[in-house]
Amino acid sequence: MSATVPFHNTAGLTGRQLLAASRVAKGQEAAIMEIFRAAGRPLTPSEVHARMPGRVLLTSVRRAMSNLTQAGALVKLDRVQPGPFGQPEHLWALPAGQGELFHGRAG
């Protein structure tokens, strides 16, 4: 999905562990894209995290969203809104037109 490495191997995993971790990271990216398509509006990392299936670290959501942004699949907006602890969080969105195409509203 992304041109970047989905899993950042800071723990020095090798072999099957590394392959498994990479698969999980790719799956997280796919889940995040589905969340954005279903939402039909910009979301913060915390909002995406709350919609993730299963147990996923917020840092993993942020990593995946950064990778997807670098790959051009998401766009980081200049807008912010308060996060769950009152601190501002940036909003991300699908690139212009992508959400409309997915929902069949393209003109």
Side-chain angles (χ1 to χ4, degrees), residues 2-105:
S2 69
T4 60
V5 177
F7 175 73
H8 301 279
N9 190 11
T10 59
L13 300 179
T14 59
R16 291 182 191 184
Q17 288 181 320
L18 180 56
L19 287 173
S22 293
R23 264 189 240 115
V24 167
K26 287 179 187 177
Q28 290 169 349
E29 290 182 3
I32 288 169
M33 291 303 297
E34 288 302 317
I35 289 167
F36 272 95
R37 289 180 184 119
R41 67 173 183 85
L43 299 168
T44 67
S46 293
E47 290 174 318
V48 172
H49 181 253
R51 293 177 164 112
M52 288 292 286
R55 292 177 35 163
V56 178
L57 296 171
L58 178 57
T59 54
S60 295
V61 170
R62 291 182 185 281
R63 181 253 323 133
M65 288 175 65
S66 292
N67 287 351
L68 291 166
T69 300
Q70 289 176 352
L74 290 178
V75 176
K76 184 178 179 181
L77 306 177
D78 291 333
R79 295 176 19 217
V80 297
Q81 70 182 35
F85 300 103
Q87 296 300 313
E89 281 192 297
H90 276 90
L91 289 157
W92 269 257
L94 295 172
Q98 192 175 17
E100 290 80 11
L101 289 172
F102 184 80
H103 291 291
R105 295 188 303 245

